[in-house]
Amino acid sequence: MKLCRFDEDHLGLVSEDESEVIDVTSALETLPALKWPLPHGDPLIAHLDELRPRIAALGLTGRRVPIHAMEFASPVATPSKIIAAPVNYAKHLDEARADQGINFGVAPKRIDQYGLFLKAASCLVGPSHGVYLPTTDRRIDHELELAVVIGRRGREIARSDALDHVAGYALGLDMTIRGEEDRSWRKSHDSFAVLGPWLVTADEIPDPGALEFSLVIGEQCRQAANTRDLIFDVPRLIEYASATYTLHPGDIIMTGTPEGVGPVVAGDIMKCTMSGVGSMNVAVHAMPYPAESSRIDQTPGRS
Ligand code: MN
């Protein structure tokens, strides 16, 4: 099942041939009403297993919209956190070692020496929102990654159980200002996490360690890789992350970028694709940041 979010608060089921989206928003009517204090995580993802039969039934009768007419928001609306893996492909380690524009004179380490890092949950957007470049002369790079969406709460999850905790997968962009500051600062500018184009449920991806993916700008293929080359594979990342953080439904793990990172400029379109997942085109915009961004309208109490 491929599930998308559109028009901010609508849930869509992507048709088998990916030509249409079927509006299945009314499946959400059975979600329990929330009251303070809200649980961590994303309510849709937390209740996805119960909702699936209703989503499937509505998929037969719901309003159908051609896919090219859709504006896709992040399929996960409210993750408690975005966890990300630094230097998790050997060839990206090689390029980081070779390029002072990436390493700023500090020898890059491997993931087992760095641990993980967090991106602010508030920087998450969908592909149709696009990335906004802060006004700076610094280099700002694309990093295309497999994103894992956690489906079940857990901590100290064993490698052998790890994939049972996955709700699904998506493409993730971990946008990055190069420099010497902490990663959580350089990688959490508003719109610096893109998730999309939809969530592919885990049952459709039997092996997350065999996914081909690429990022193209203009005619130039910048990144082309396969998740088989991850240093810490998906089960290991879940084991590693959950030894530190309780994982909540909707938490996102960006699994790390392969080689080929490079700068973007306003006007670029990042064409991202992954086998078994889908494709998304993400525009790069100059400032100003949209004042009435869709995220502002989600603030509780505003209508
Ligand atoms: Mn990254």
Side-chain angles (χ1 to χ4, degrees):
M1 196 173 260
K2 295 185 174 82
L3 296 169
C4 65
R5 183 161 65 104
F6 66 100
D7 293 351
E8 204 51 42
D9 60 357
H10 282 59
L11 180 66
L13 176 66
V14 180
S15 67
E16 287 279 327
D17 63 1
E18 297 180 14
S19 68
E20 292 176 310
V21 170
I22 306 141
D23 187 342
V24 295
T25 308
S26 60
L28 302 173
E29 287 163 9
T30 59
L31 281 180
L34 293 173
K35 58 179 189 176
W36 186 87
L38 302 182
H40 283 298
D42 186 279
L44 165 63
I45 305 296
H47 295 279
L48 192 54
D49 285 348
E50 304 128 65
L51 292 176
R52 281 185 69 154
R54 195 169 153 85
I55 291 170
L58 287 164
L60 303 173
T61 57
R63 176 176 67 101
R64 302 175 85 94
V65 185
I67 210 142
H68 58 77
M70 305 297 298
E71 298 240 321
F72 291 112
S74 164
V76 180
T78 51
S80 82
K81 55 189 167 299
I82 303 171
I83 301 164
V87 196
N88 200 19
Y89 286 86
K91 286 182 185 166
H92 176 56
L93 175 59
D94 294 343
E95 77 178 348
R97 282 186 173 137
D99 184 350
Q100 191 147 12
I102 298 176
N103 68 43
F104 280 75
V106 180
K109 296 182 276 194
R110 296 186 315 264
I111 183 168
D112 55 307
Q113 299 167 301
Y114 278 124
L116 301 170
F117 67 96
L118 298 176
K119 290 168 73 80
S122 55
C123 78
L124 180 65
V125 299
S128 297
H129 181 284
V131 169
Y132 284 75
L133 301 182
T135 308
T136 172
D137 54 7
R138 300 266 291 275
R139 173 174 158 185
I140 300 174
D141 282 6
H142 55 75
E143 296 190 352
L144 183 63
E145 316 191 353
L146 169 66
V148 179
V149 176
I150 295 297
R152 274 204 298 135
R153 189 176 185 279
R155 63 166 286 116
E156 294 178 2
I157 299 164
R159 178 182 171 84
S160 53
D161 299 331
L163 293 184
D164 296 339
H165 285 256
V166 176
Y169 302 91
L171 282 155
L173 278 163
D174 171 21
M175 301 303 296
T176 302
I177 301 178
R178 297 294 169 202
E180 296 172 88
E181 300 91 340
D182 193 86
R183 281 186 172 79
S184 66
W185 174 258
R186 293 186 287 107
K187 291 170 169 272
S188 290
H189 199 280
D190 281 351
S191 77
F192 270 28
V194 184
L195 191 74
W198 41 65
L199 178 80
V200 182
T201 53
D203 54 291
E204 294 198 9
I205 308 281
D207 182 6
L211 302 175
E212 202 75 55
F213 62 110
S214 64
L215 182 148
V216 174
I217 296 178
E219 299 300 306
Q220 191 184 16
C221 180
R222 298 276 192 94
Q223 298 192 273
N226 191 298
T227 54
R228 77 166 84 88
D229 294 320
L230 283 164
I231 296 171
F232 277 14
D233 63 8
V234 171
R236 176 68 182 127
L237 285 169
I238 292 171
E239 179 182 59
Y240 194 51
S242 68
T244 293
Y245 314 116
T246 296
L247 301 184
H248 295 283
D251 279 358
I252 297 161
I253 302 178
M254 293 215 178
T255 56
T257 189
E259 69 280 10
V261 301
V264 294
V265 295
D268 282 347
I269 305 284
M270 297 178 281
K271 295 177 190 163
C272 309
T273 190
M274 184 175 280
S275 57
V277 174
S279 301
M280 61 181 188
N281 291 346
V282 180
V284 179
H285 304 287
M287 284 294 168
Y289 202 75
E292 281 303 311
S293 93
S294 52
R295 296 202 58 81
I296 293 169
D297 293 333
Q298 286 180 12
T299 306
R302 286 179 65 122
S303 58

